[in-house]
Amino acid sequence: QTAYWNYVSVVFHRSLPPGTPEWYSRGVTEVLSNTIVREKEIHVGRLMDHHLRRMRESPHIPLAEFLAVTRGSKYLTREADAWQFEAQAWVFVHYLMFGNRGQHSGRVNRYNDLLLQGVAPDVAQKEAFGPDMTPYFLGMREYLSKSIFQYSRIPTALDLKAEGFSSRPLSPAESTVERAYLLAAMGRPVESRAVLAEGSKAEPAHPGPYEVEGLLLDREQKPAEALAAFGKA
């Protein structure tokens, strides 16, 4: 689960625009981190007992406060609060994706598409979910009382052969950039920057180190410096 969590986090931060709400990125990451690969099918969205138990036993974060959480918030900087936020983000997104037989899944897909198109997150949220998220928040609370939860079962293609996939060696710069992205996703900026320094020496013209540095600066709430780094990339 930890490996999948970091993988999904990297994909999210490389695919969606800066400013994507933390409740959404964290919630989707939590849901997808519990992906289970079986011989003939993949399970997505299986129940996470520790999150469910926390949400049933602890007071919920008020909706407005929950939706407004940013990287500098106590919900992402203090351990106990972070656990509560991740549990609530998980169940909220799980409800939107799977609750009531997937009643709101189309809205989730619409929201994701709008974000990928570069629509501002607040505008995308209103267009996909409407101006008021309260009905979904109340739906989440009712969802918590259920004893049976849905998830997706996706058949796997069993006719794929390893020989059909090509491969190539990574250059030293490409290798360090991928390692730096992973360290950044794991919340280890000092180590990420140390790896980036290696990549810059190996291939000074490679854009990857600037991309990762821009991501790190954006997380540190330094938008001007982040924009400059992305501009160099």
Side-chain angles (χ1 to χ4, degrees):
Q1 191 234 334
T2 302
Y4 283 167
W5 194 100
N6 283 295
Y7 173 73
V8 175
S9 180
V10 169
V11 171
F12 244 71
H13 285 106
R14 294 186 69 169
S15 303
L16 295 179
T20 297
E22 291 295 331
W23 69 264
Y24 183 64
S25 61
R26 293 284 175 142
V28 172
T29 301
E30 286 291 326
V31 170
L32 297 185
S33 73
N34 199 33
T35 296
I36 298 173
V37 180
R38 298 280 174 83
E39 183 178 355
K40 296 183 179 180
E41 60 185 12
I42 299 172
H43 297 180
V44 178
R46 291 288 292 264
L47 192 65
M48 299 181 78
D49 290 331
H50 61 291
H51 282 337
L52 186 63
R53 186 166 55 252
R54 179 176 292 274
M55 286 296 292
R56 284 175 170 172
E57 297 174 355
S58 305
H60 299 166
I61 303 168
L63 177 61
E65 192 174 349
F66 172 66
L67 297 178
V69 167
T70 60
R71 288 173 188 158
S73 164
K74 69 176 183 177
Y75 293 110
L76 294 181
T77 57
R78 287 168 32 180
E79 188 173 29
D81 293 313
W83 288 341
Q84 182 63 32
F85 178 73
E86 290 190 349
Q88 187 159 317
W90 167 79
V91 76
F92 191 56
V93 170
H94 198 282
Y95 165 70
L96 292 174
M97 292 176 67
F98 301 105
N100 301 332
R101 298 185 179 275
Q103 177 183 358
H104 305 304
S105 60
R107 295 181 181 274
V108 176
N109 291 337
R110 176 61 177 158
Y111 183 50
N112 209 57
D113 288 342
L114 290 169
L115 290 174
L116 288 171
Q117 293 169 24
V119 177
D122 56 337
V123 176
Q125 182 174 301
K126 289 179 181 177
E127 184 170 334
F129 297 106
D132 186 7
M133 297 290 282
T134 303
Y136 307 105
F137 192 67
L138 297 176
M140 177 201 75
R141 288 184 166 179
E142 182 181 351
Y143 189 59
L144 285 167
S145 66
K146 295 184 178 298
S147 57
I148 297 177
F149 294 82
Q150 289 185 281
Y151 62 93
S152 291
R153 298 170 64 180
I154 305 168
T156 58
L158 302 178
D159 56 347
L160 295 177
K161 304 297 182 183
E163 296 77 17
F165 295 92
S166 61
S167 63
R168 66 173 178 82
L170 294 175
S171 71
E174 289 174 317
S175 175
T176 56
V177 166
E178 294 305 320
R179 287 159 51 206
Y181 262 121
L182 180 60
L183 290 166
M186 295 171 68
R188 296 158 64 180
V190 174
E191 293 164 88
S192 180
R193 285 187 167 106
V195 170
L196 289 178
E198 298 176 25
S200 297
K201 290 178 182 178
E203 195 174 333
H206 196 284
Y210 292 112
E211 291 181 8
V212 184
E213 181 63 24
L215 172 65
L216 292 170
L217 289 167
D218 182 59
R219 289 185 174 182
E220 293 166 358
Q221 304 294 312
K222 298 177 180 178
E225 293 93 329
L227 186 60
F230 287 131
K232 290 178 181 179

